Amino acid sequence: MSKVFSKLEDIDRRYYYWAIFLILAVPFIKPLGMPISIKQSTRDLYKGVDQVEPGEVVLIDWHMSVSTWPECLDGLVAELKVLTSHDVKIVITSISVDCEMSWNKVNQLVPALRDKYEYGKDIVFLGYYAGGEPTNQQMAIDVWSVFPTDHFKTPIAELPLMAEARTANDYAIVLTTGENEIVWVNQWWTPYGVPVGVMGIAMKGSALQPYYNSGDIFGLAVGVRGGAEFELLIGEPAGAVTRMDSISLSHLSVVILIIIANTGVLYNKLTGGKK
Amino acid sequence: MAFIKTKGFLAVPLIIAVVMFADYFIAVKEVASLAGILRTWALVISSMALGLGVVNLVRVHGKNIYVRKPGMWIFSTVTLFTFTVVFLAGVLAKQSDLWNWPFQHVYTTLQQTMYAATGFYIVSSAYRAFRARNVDATLLLISGCVVALRNAPIGEAIWGGFSVLGDWFMDVGQLPGYRVFAMVTGFGIIAYSLRVILGSERGFYGGRRE
């Protein structure tokens, strides 16, 4: 008996790697469709995005490389669907060097960006910027000084949208995707009062909660769950909702593995076995 | 010249700090213009840092290849070869298939594979590290399990209390800690900045600390 418990305490990792792989495959073969409750912070994000008036300009900052797509892309697409349905004008910047990949991807996934929006007039992709927080600060004063051209090397003066979106005061809200939220709070919300909404990675949820509670961030949705909640709020369940079943099973598997490992620990403790 | 080398450069952060503070607190057009120039310099300098990174990459990996460093030179060769191909594709054939192909079919898949693989390592580390060896560790693993089940819809399906309990752990348990961490970090940045401005932080200049 003690041998069994000792083995439980130290299972070869290859076994549970296979177990996790097979468990994660289940929902893709047969979706479970677990109900997903929606957090207040996601509702607030949706409300903030939904309240932007037609013709107003929203700045979206991507700190999202392709590796972050599974976590953040679906939420971003849902946000863009809301914004485009309201005819909101959009300016996009990024601090990820592969931002062009994300640009191409959202253009595939949000039909309105291709069919309804005219580049330069309704939407502009400014692309990558370096320099960290001083750059965000300078953008608040004059976006043109940081981006003399857009990502496709079009002079910024030739883009009609940028004539009306030159300083922080010209923007209704800022939406961040991935990370880099706090610099926008520091440089756009605190001095200029431009509200900041976050579609972040799950890992940052805890760190951002104080900013949401204090009102420095008007809405917060993190990880696949945040994206799934946003998809449900707009009534278009898509990739993130599908992935939530895998999240459910993986989380449950981790908890079961922890319980199995600790059964061995507990047994050995009670019987005075291996320490 | 000697003065600039020994003392003069210490004034640089002080002057920049004065300009930036003045820009924030006093609305003077000339100061705002000067602060704008400084911020643009910051952008230019960080762009130059990217170039410096390229030089460093070539130097370090070039040396590995030159001295045939065991276990390293092959990887260095792959790194430099990849860098050269992507660099040339970017310079000579931007927006072409040659430029897009490595991104779409190599970089994207590698990044997503790497990110997905971390999930397996997290499972492995959770299994090995979360052991109820004492009271503290037991509390940590209980709260960890509750929060994991709170974040997944299946947790709420098993027991509605996971959501309530998980929220309590997050809002009452960890939030004050994060607030303290954020505030301490803020004070730390202020203290460090003051040392830089006053010239006490010599490590900032690549020299020794006083």
Side-chain angles (χ1 to χ4, degrees):
Chain A
M1 193 66 176
S2 71
K3 269 188 178 177
V4 174
F5 282 111
S6 290
K7 282 205 165 180
L8 285 180
E9 210 184 327
D10 198 20
I11 301 170
D12 189 321
R13 69 183 70 183
R14 283 170 296 185
Y15 290 117
Y16 50 79
Y17 281 179
W18 271 108
I20 291 289
F21 175 75
L22 294 171
I23 288 167
L24 291 185
V26 170
F28 289 100
I29 297 163
K30 177 152 179 51
L32 308 175
M34 296 251 174
I36 301 165
S37 62
I38 299 169
K39 290 181 183 147
Q40 187 55 44
S41 59
T42 311
R43 287 185 193 279
D44 288 342
L45 180 65
Y46 172 72
K47 198 174 148 195
V49 174
D50 194 46
Q51 278 175 349
V52 182
E53 298 285 332
E56 286 188 315
V57 188
V58 168
L59 190 141
I60 304 181
D61 188 42
W62 295 341
H63 188 160
M64 176 185 72
S65 61
V66 291
S67 62
T68 328
W69 282 0
E71 231 185 325
C72 296
L73 186 67
D74 294 307
L76 171 67
V77 166
E79 281 179 336
L80 283 167
K81 283 179 178 170
V82 176
L83 294 172
T84 51
S85 72
H86 291 200
D87 294 327
V88 171
K89 296 185 177 183
I90 301 164
V91 174
I92 297 169
T93 61
S94 178
I95 54 171
S96 297
V97 288
D98 54 1
C99 56
E100 188 178 319
M101 309 281 295
S102 300
W103 166 254
N104 293 335
K105 193 73 178 174
V106 295
N107 272 282
Q108 279 174 17
L109 297 172
V110 185
L113 291 180
R114 299 189 308 267
D115 306 337
K116 197 167 79 166
Y117 272 50
E118 188 183 331
Y119 187 82
K121 196 174 144 215
D122 304 311
I123 185 165
V124 168
F125 179 47
L126 293 175
Y128 174 78
Y129 63 92
E133 198 159 345
T135 307
N136 298 86
Q137 193 185 9
Q138 183 60 22
M139 279 165 69
I141 295 158
D142 185 8
V143 177
W144 289 31
S145 64
V146 177
F147 293 99
T149 65
D150 70 352
H151 180 75
F152 308 107
K153 304 297 170 216
T154 312
I156 203 157
E158 293 176 15
L159 301 163
L161 170 57
M162 295 314 296
E164 53 182 290
R166 191 161 180 167
T167 71
N169 294 322
D170 299 328
Y171 291 83
I173 56 171
V174 171
L175 296 172
T176 68
T177 306
E179 293 188 76
N180 204 36
E181 315 82 7
I182 306 309
V183 295
W184 292 101
V185 171
N186 292 346
Q187 304 302 339
W188 282 53
W189 164 244
T190 308
Y192 300 98
V194 182
V196 178
V198 177
M199 180 69 72
I201 55 173
M203 200 173 68
K204 291 288 296 286
S206 303
L208 293 171
Q209 195 67 32
Y211 291 91
Y212 167 69
N213 287 8
S214 63
D216 288 320
I217 290 171
F218 72 80
L220 172 66
V222 290
V224 179
R225 178 164 188 152
E229 291 173 7
F230 209 96
E231 284 178 352
L232 291 174
L233 282 167
I234 67 168
E236 290 186 37
V241 171
T242 309
R243 267 194 285 281
M244 278 313 288
D245 282 341
S246 295
I247 298 271
S248 277
L249 291 182
S250 64
H251 280 51
L252 186 65
S253 309
V254 170
V255 171
I256 289 171
L257 275 170
I258 290 170
I259 292 169
I260 289 172
N262 281 286
T263 310
V265 173
L266 199 65
Y267 177 83
N268 283 324
K269 214 174 237 184
L270 291 173
T271 57
K274 187 171 110 179
K275 290 194 177 167
Chain B
M1 194 63 186
F3 171 77
I4 291 172
K5 276 188 176 173
T6 54
K7 300 276 183 198
F9 70 96
L10 293 176
V12 173
L14 180 64
I15 293 166
I16 291 172
V18 169
V19 172
M20 300 313 284
F21 274 120
D23 175 46
Y24 192 85
F25 291 107
I26 310 162
V28 178
K29 200 180 164 187
E30 287 73 20
V31 175
S33 169
L34 187 56
I37 291 169
L38 288 176
R39 279 190 293 268
T40 312
W41 282 6
L43 175 61
V44 173
I45 290 167
S46 53
S47 300
M48 286 164 68
L50 295 176
L52 196 64
V54 170
V55 172
N56 212 26
L57 179 105
V58 173
R59 199 175 63 88
V60 169
H61 291 283
K63 191 178 171 188
N64 284 347
I65 296 166
Y66 184 71
V67 299
R68 290 280 199 279
K69 194 172 180 181
M72 292 292 287
W73 74 271
I74 291 180
F75 298 112
S76 293
T77 308
V78 173
T79 303
L80 282 188
F81 175 75
T82 312
F83 165 74
T84 310
V85 169
V86 176
F87 179 79
L88 290 176
V91 171
L92 303 174
K94 187 89 167 54
Q95 303 299 327
S96 72
D97 285 345
L98 182 66
W99 161 251
N100 285 325
W101 192 88
F103 259 96
Q104 283 174 352
H105 300 290
V106 181
Y107 178 76
T108 306
T109 42
L110 283 178
Q111 275 236 327
Q112 292 186 339
T113 305
M114 192 185 75
Y115 201 56
T118 56
F120 289 89
Y121 290 110
I122 289 169
V123 172
S124 175
S125 56
Y127 172 74
R128 286 165 195 284
F130 275 155
R131 298 289 162 94
R133 299 203 191 282
N134 52 45
V135 177
D136 295 347
T138 308
L139 289 174
L140 180 68
L141 86 85
I142 290 170
S143 55
C145 290
V146 170
V147 172
L149 289 170
R150 168 244 192 203
N151 287 338
I154 202 165
E156 288 177 62
I158 294 169
W159 179 50
F162 279 128
S163 177
V164 179
L165 206 53
D167 283 346
W168 187 85
F169 278 129
M170 295 297 283
D171 294 340
V172 181
Q174 66 96 38
L175 205 58
Y178 258 106
R179 282 200 183 119
V180 170
F181 181 71
M183 294 191 77
V184 167
T185 307
F187 282 120
I189 291 169
I190 291 170
Y192 177 78
S193 304
L194 272 177
R195 283 179 60 83
V196 170
I197 291 165
L198 298 174
S200 305
E201 190 62 46
R202 295 298 177 89
F204 178 76
Y205 305 100
R208 287 182 185 172
R209 280 183 163 201
E210 272 189 352

